[in-house]
Amino acid sequence: MISLDLENIEKKYGDHTILSFEKWRLDSGIYWIKGGNGTGKTTLFRVISGQTSFKGELSLNQISLKKEPVAYRAMISYAEAEPQYPSFITGNELLNYHIAVRKADRLAAEDIIEQFGMTAFMNNKIGGYSSGMLKKLSLICAFTGDIQLYILDEPLITIDADSAQVLYRLINKYREKGSSFLLSSHQELEAGQLTLKATFQIKDRKIEAC
């Protein structure tokens, strides 16, 4: 079980307020944040994953991001919508970093690599990857290790239909193991693939149920 609690959240870029709400609480499950570009989905995910500053209080399982940032971030895995990595390192070098930090099982990671059809490319420099390969690499790294909350921003963009099926299977597998998910997408999720706990949207800087 997880308990994600956000209170009195405000996020601005300059004078432009992106998020401003009093309270949002989630427990275990798969959640979908839907909506078009520019609605604040990525900003919300960057706040929750500890990637950007904000006003307010944020905790996961009663562990505060601001008071215990290392312990908080250890429970979260965040995959960006448009991942960017140093072009001079290989896919395996990036993955090895995640394995070391999370003390993860290499064999489990290799199984995910094979499912995404990336085995032949992991020793190549990331600078030669296509956008689809970059996205799959980011998902491979995201699913490496035992994490309580996975935050996947636009996980379906730039990947093919077969890879989308792999993604759905991984989400369901990790959910069965007890992990929870926050997903964002401006496109519809494939019907019947995931059992969603709830669906939300950001409207007028606030989060509301759909």
Side-chain angles (χ1 to χ4, degrees):
M1 293 290 292
I2 70 159
S3 174
L4 179 67
D5 294 277
L6 292 83
E7 293 189 3
N8 301 316
I9 299 297
E10 182 179 83
K11 175 60 183 177
K12 290 184 176 181
Y13 291 113
D15 294 330
H16 184 43
T17 301
I18 307 298
L19 299 171
S20 180
F21 58 89
E22 292 183 359
K23 185 174 292 187
W24 192 46
R25 184 181 186 279
L26 300 178
D27 55 17
S28 297
I30 303 173
Y31 298 90
W32 177 26
I33 313 299
K34 64 187 302 186
N37 295 330
T39 56
K41 303 187 304 298
T42 294
T43 297
L44 175 65
F45 282 5
R46 288 181 60 82
V47 165
I48 296 173
S49 62
Q51 301 295 313
T52 189
S53 61
F54 63 95
K55 291 183 179 179
E57 297 298 327
L58 171 56
S59 66
L60 179 60
N61 297 344
Q62 288 74 56
I63 295 178
S64 167
L65 168 60
K66 293 185 175 179
K67 295 178 181 178
E68 302 177 77
V70 175
Y72 177 94
R73 290 188 176 97
M75 297 186 289
I76 287 180
S77 183
Y78 174 50
E80 296 183 271
E82 298 179 1
Q84 296 182 4
Y85 304 117
S87 62
F88 54 85
I89 66 173
T90 68
N92 266 328
E93 287 172 336
L94 180 68
L95 177 61
N96 288 338
Y97 168 78
H98 284 80
I99 290 174
V101 169
R102 296 176 180 171
K103 298 178 174 59
D105 180 5
R106 176 76 201 194
L107 290 178
E110 288 178 353
D111 178 62
I112 298 173
I113 291 169
E114 185 175 353
Q115 290 185 59
F116 275 116
M118 286 287 288
T119 304
F121 308 103
M122 293 300 291
N123 283 322
N124 294 355
K125 301 288 187 183
I126 290 176
Y129 280 18
S130 67
S131 58
M133 292 166 66
L134 277 174
K135 190 68 175 185
K136 288 190 279 188
L137 178 62
S138 74
L139 292 171
I140 291 165
C141 292
F143 280 100
T144 296
D146 295 321
I147 301 296
Q148 296 196 39
L149 177 62
Y150 293 86
I151 302 175
L152 309 180
D153 192 5
E154 297 286 357
L156 295 170
I157 60 171
T158 72
I159 61 173
D160 55 34
D162 289 341
S163 295
Q165 294 303 309
V166 171
L167 174 62
Y168 286 132
R169 288 197 300 269
L170 287 171
I171 292 172
N172 285 319
K173 176 182 177 180
Y174 280 61
R175 178 67 196 111
E176 289 174 2
K177 291 165 57 177
S179 299
S180 294
F181 287 84
L182 276 175
L183 312 173
S184 79
S185 179
H186 64 271
Q187 61 194 84
E188 293 294 319
L189 302 177
E190 189 173 335
Q193 292 287 352
L194 301 174
T195 300
L196 299 174
K197 187 77 168 284
T199 302
F200 297 93
Q201 64 180 354
I202 300 173
K203 187 175 182 179
D204 296 329
R205 302 174 293 280
K206 294 176 172 50
I207 303 173
E208 60 180 36
C210 295

